[in-house]
Every structure is written in C-alpha cells, then in structure tokens.
Amino acid sequence: MTSPPLATVRTAARPLESLRCDIAGPPELTRVVTEHLRLLGAEAAEAADTAGTVDTAETADTAGTGEAPGTAPPAGTTGTEATPGTLDPGATPGSPASGATPGTHAQVVLTGGGFGPVTAEVHWADARTAPSRDAVGAPQATPHPREAHPTPDEATVQAATGIMSVHGRRDDGPRGLGADYAATAAGVLAVQGLLARLLAQARGGNAHAAGRVTTSAARAGLLAVSQYLAATGADEDEAARIAPGGPPFTSADGTRFELETLDPGAWAAFWRALDAPGEAIRAGWRPFQFRYATACAPFPEALHATARAHAWARVRQAAATSGAEVCALRTLQERAAEHDGAAPWSLARLGPAAAAPGRRGHALPTPDLPLTGITVLEAGRRIQAPLAAHLLRLLGADVVRIEPPGGDPLRGMPPACGGVSARWLALNRGKRAVEADIKSPSGRRRLRELVADADVFLHNWAPGKAAQLGLDAADLTAVNPGLVYAYTSGWGDRLDDAPMGTDFMVQARTAVGAAVRPADEPPAPSLMTLLDVLGGLLGAEAVLAGLLLRERNGGRGVRVDSSLLGAADTLTAPALRRAAHGDDPRPPAGFRRPLRTADGWLAPTDTCAAAASAYDLSTLPTTEALDLLRSHGLTATPVTTDLAALHTGARRTGSIGGSIGRDTHGAPVVPDPWAFS
C-alpha cells in the first residue's frame, strides 16, 4: 500500500494544526526545526508580534513542500546572523531567546491547540550532562579548562565527538563533513522532543503542563558515532581491518560510481565479468562486506585498476548480468533539477476512528519518559528501523523486536561485548524480543496477535515484501484500526530509476558525496553511515508525529513513511538551494580540513579556519598549537582520533556531549539525546 501524495497529506494530516511556533537562534540550529514544524502544520509567529520572528510572508509559498524558508547561509558562516525563518537571538527582550548569547543555542516555543506551552532548546554543546539511563554507574563529565569551547560550532562538534575521525578513516586522517550533519540531526531530535511532550499531554500526562526539552549537536554527534564507539569497548578486535581505502570506483571514461550487493556470489560475478584477478576478488569481499561497520574498505588496488580499464557502459553491463548494482555519482545541480520538494516523511490517516490503544489501561506518561504506556513492534534490520525504535524506547516506549527463529543473526556480529555484538547493543539494548517466522502462516498469525494490542508497527523490509506477506498497512489496521503503521524505506517510492536503497547508494544518487566533500576533492559518499542514522532519526520523528495525529483524531490509525532519500534531502537542503539559484553548491576548497600537529590534529572553528591554516603547527604539540592559535584570537579544538578515548577518560572533549557510560554487557553507552524538565 503506497502512501498518498504529499499534497493530500498537507491538507489532511497535520498533527500540529492550530499550534503556533516561535523560533530563535542561529540558522544552523533552527533550519530543520523551522522546516519540520511548518510541514507538520504549526504556524510561525507573525513578524509584527515580536521583532525578529519568522517572516511568514516570505515562506508562505513553501510551507508544506519540504523547501526551507529563507536562504541558506554560506558555508563557513558563524551562525550568529539572523536570517529569514529565525528570530534574532536577544533582539527583543522577552523573545524566546532573550538573554542568550548570540549563536550559542536555539529556542523553540510551541503554543496553542489546547496544549500547555512546550519549549525546546538546541545547544551546540553541553557543559555537564547526565549519562544515559542505560548506563551502569557512569560519572558526570566536567570539561577540562583547556578544552572548554566558548564558541562551539559544527566543526567543533564534529571534531570532539569523533565524527571527523570516523568520516576520515578511508582517507587515513580525520576529515570534516562539509554539510552540517550534527546540527541537522540535533534539529530532528528537538522536533522529536517537542512531539513527545505534546503527545504526553494529549495522552493525559499533566494535560496542560508546560514542559521543556533540551538537546545538542554534541549529543547528536555522539549518537551518530555510537556504533563505532561501541566497537572500541568490545572484548575483541574488529572483524575487518581498519585501514585507508574504499569506493567509489572510476570507469575508463571518468564516471565515478558506487557498487552494491549483499551477495558474495554477485560480487564475484561482477568482477569476473570485468576480468579482475581472482585473488583481488576474494580479498576485496570482506572489507566490502564490513564497510558499513568500519567506515573504510581497504580494497586491493587491482579492483580499482580493473574499474579504470572499462568504460561506464561495460561496467553497467557487468552489473546487469551479475546481479550487483552500480550507481553513478550525481552532482548537486543534477539533484536540484529533479528535486520534487517533498517532505522527508508522509502521514496518512487510515481506517475508521477507534479508541487509541494508549487509553486501554496502559501506564500514563511521566515527565522524563513521555512514551510510557506506548508499545512499539519493530521488525527492523541493520540500522534505520532499529535506531528509530531505539529512540522511541529511550523516550519510554516498550519496544518488542520481531526476530526470526533462532534470533537476530546480527547479535553475533563481531566485535562482541559480554558475548553480544557491541554494534547490535548500540541499537537494540533494552528491547524485548519475540521470535516469529513471518514467512510461515503461523508466524504471521503470531505477528497479527501482537499487532492487536500495539500502538506502532515499524519495519524497513524490502519494497513490496509487506504486501506480499499480507502485512501491509491495510492488512494490519484491519486487526487494529488505531495502529500507527510506519515504514522506513530507501527511496519512499519517489524515484522511478532508483537503485538498491542502501546508505551508500542513496548518497551517490542524491549527491551527498558532493555535499560532504570540499571542492578541491573528488565527490565521494562518506563510508560513515550518514543516511542510515539520519534516516532512523527521521523515522522516529515520523512515528511521533503519527502518534500525535492519532491522538488528535479520535484514535484513527495512521500510516507514516520515511526514507533515506528524505534524510539525504534534509542534509543537503542548503546545498540544493544554492545549486537551484545558480551558485556553487559545494563547500570551498579545504573546508573543515583539520590541521596536523606534532602529536595529533586540531580543528579550527569555521570562522577561524582560513586564518589558522596560515600557521605551521606540525612541529608543535597539540597543547602548544592551541595556545599559539589562541594568542592570535583563533579558536580550535583537538580532534578525537581514538574513539576509545571518549569512554576511557583519556580525552575530555567528549564531555561536550555528556558522559559515556557502560551498559550491563560492558559496552559503551552514549548519553540520551534529550533532557526533559
């Protein structure tokens, strides 16, 4: 069952209808919040009400289309300038961000619709944050004076939380993402917190009580690297070598392309069709298979040489005959030209009105666990859907994983902590598991029995599989008319010629590879799972929107769809707008490229990067290099190159996002993304 087009959803399924939002803060931290609240139906405060508030006239034509209001700031701006779609922090006493230091954080206030006011704050960093509720005996973190960050920004967060380290593994040194990844993720987290607060009110948890949720780009950054961080605390080494290298490949006529297959037979057949050496084919499979886990793929050079020996047409033919898939890297201009302006998710009402399951004697929400009493059934694989369900669990939901007989095979994926895959724990700890063979009639009956008393069913199966099994939205809402049916996919049925909907293929097809690399480097999708993580965040946001819509519509079921394509468009929106306006959409040469010191790396803030690059720091220890830059009024932060240092205490920069604890298996645990008060 395919969701109705967004045009229908905009008028019929807006869970924030009749609510008003006031937003203040730097554009990097407010962009996503502004866009998503508008798409969900909230109205911005009139400019005449408060100086510096959102200009509704400028954005009226784009509300609900997925296109952000205003113009994106140039890469490298400080984020302190007021832009259309945001309030000028501190411009008007009594405005949402009055008293805030310009550029330090964003603030959002939602009011109206019969709800008590709810507020979200989005900071760059947290000076002191409690550990996750999953951690056992984790201490509070206090920043070291030398590593305090008086004016943090995206570069600071990427450096301190390990994003630069993971993204740079394939390049043999830390590299910053050209797109504002941590700030984008933090914006989604803020909207999640607001929706969760409103949902708690709608379900009877202090029905008219005001509430506040706080998150930060630093917490988002730690969440983004949580799987890689978990592996550094494991009892054994990685299953595959971490070393420089990886796709994309380049054909003889200059086409850069990604290759994808989950089948070792298809991998071998593809390379044999191109006459690659047998030894290189065998040696290349393991790093290719584990590149999602290691963020690098040290292939034999012979495979790259083989690709360079054949024209793109021949490469495509080899893929077609082998069962593998290839995708040429698109430019941002190409993606902007075809962009349909759709929102990153869609909502559609399903079935007749019904009593919401949350009313049937389930526990009521609590101030810090707004989803208490909500049951989520998750049939997810890999990252996207499991991460979405993980976030819902952290908000208080009871999450039940539907696993095949014998359990999820990824539980045994190395490296392990206490006998369980460290990466699996990062996404699935605390969930209950029920085994059911959904390929059998008895397994499907068991799933329907569970659905009958659930609030949410969430999956990321291959396209068409749910309908084939009789487990699509129409099938399951016949069992439970009040169900929120959530599908997190690769493409969201928005592209007719889409390849396999995996992270790196979506990055290639949507020009993420160009958006995250500076203009003096060839475009290349990041081997950090950028879209799987951001797609999981959007999936959780969509579920929360669906639950709130259900509560505001008499318990009527809702279908929500989100996708990796939506995640890509959310991340690249500023670059796509620049491309559509005829401007250069890529980050400038050398953007967010850390500086080498004698014993490590330093990442200047974006505003200081050009001036800092004039100094030769390669012979100075990191501490002395920091002092030198600061003596010239320049700000930088040490780059976390060893993720293990974040949870062993060897480096304190991780404290900008909170304490890293350990779970009952001994695996590292990042702080919860939100704090409620």
Side-chain angles (χ1 to χ4, degrees), residues 58-74:
E58 176 172 332
T59 60
D61 292 340
T62 61
T65 65
E67 181 178 346
T71 303

Side-chain angles (χ1 to χ4, degrees), residues 208-410:
H208 298 287
R212 180 183 301 271
V213 58
T214 304
T215 189
S216 71
R219 292 198 216 182
L222 290 176
L223 179 67
V225 301
S226 59
Q227 296 175 79
Y228 309 100
L229 178 65
T232 66
D235 304 329
E236 56 188 357
D237 294 333
E238 288 276 8
R241 184 168 59 103
I242 294 180
F249 300 97
T250 305
S251 68
D253 43 0
T255 298
R256 293 173 66 80
F257 66 93
E258 276 284 344
L259 168 68
E260 184 66 279
T261 179
L262 306 178
D263 179 5
W267 162 269
F270 171 80
W271 289 110
R272 282 199 300 267
L274 297 177
D275 301 318
E279 182 178 351
I281 296 173
R282 289 188 294 273
W285 169 249
R286 192 167 184 82
F288 178 81
Q289 179 188 22
F290 280 94
R291 71 198 191 282
Y292 282 89
T294 61
C296 60
F299 299 145
E301 173 55 31
L303 296 183
H304 285 285
T306 296
R308 290 193 295 268
H310 297 277
W312 174 233
R314 179 71 186 91
V315 170
R316 294 181 64 187
Q317 182 183 27
T321 58
S322 67
E325 294 197 35
V326 292
C327 180
L329 271 62
R330 294 292 184 102
T331 66
L332 287 161
Q333 289 85 353
E334 289 172 326
R335 177 62 190 143
E338 70 174 3
H339 189 249
D340 58 6
W345 20 244
S346 63
L347 310 175
R349 294 184 179 90
L350 298 173
R359 301 271 191 249
R360 299 199 297 253
H362 291 188
L364 291 177
T366 65
D368 59 340
L369 292 174
L371 262 60
T372 297
I374 295 290
T375 299
V376 176
L377 297 184
E378 176 224 321
R381 303 180 305 158
R382 294 179 175 266
I383 299 173
Q384 187 184 12
L387 175 58
H390 172 68
L391 292 166
L392 297 173
R393 185 189 68 82
L394 291 177
L395 288 167
D398 177 22
V399 177
V400 182
R401 276 182 58 78
I402 307 300
E403 299 188 1
D408 186 349
L410 292 181

Side-chain angles (χ1 to χ4, degrees), residues 647-661:
H647 59 82
T648 60
R651 282 288 302 277
R652 297 171 184 260
T653 47
S655 65
I656 73 168
S659 300
I660 307 297

Side-chain angles (χ1 to χ4, degrees), residues 480-529:
N480 180 352
L483 185 70
V484 173
Y485 184 99
Y487 181 35
T488 60
S489 67
W491 298 103
D493 292 332
R494 287 172 51 196
L495 289 180
D496 295 332
D497 61 342
M500 188 183 302
T502 57
D503 190 309
F504 307 142
M505 293 292 268
V506 178
Q507 284 196 54
R509 179 64 177 76
T510 60
V512 171
V516 300
R517 292 261 165 177
D520 57 339
E521 297 179 13
S526 175
L527 284 176
M528 181 177 167
T529 51

Side-chain angles (χ1 to χ4, degrees), residues 134-138 230 232-234 417 644 647-648 660-669:
D134 291 332
V136 179
T232 66
C417 271
H647 59 82
T648 60
I660 307 297
R662 295 271 185 168
D663 67 12
T664 56
H665 293 271
V669 181

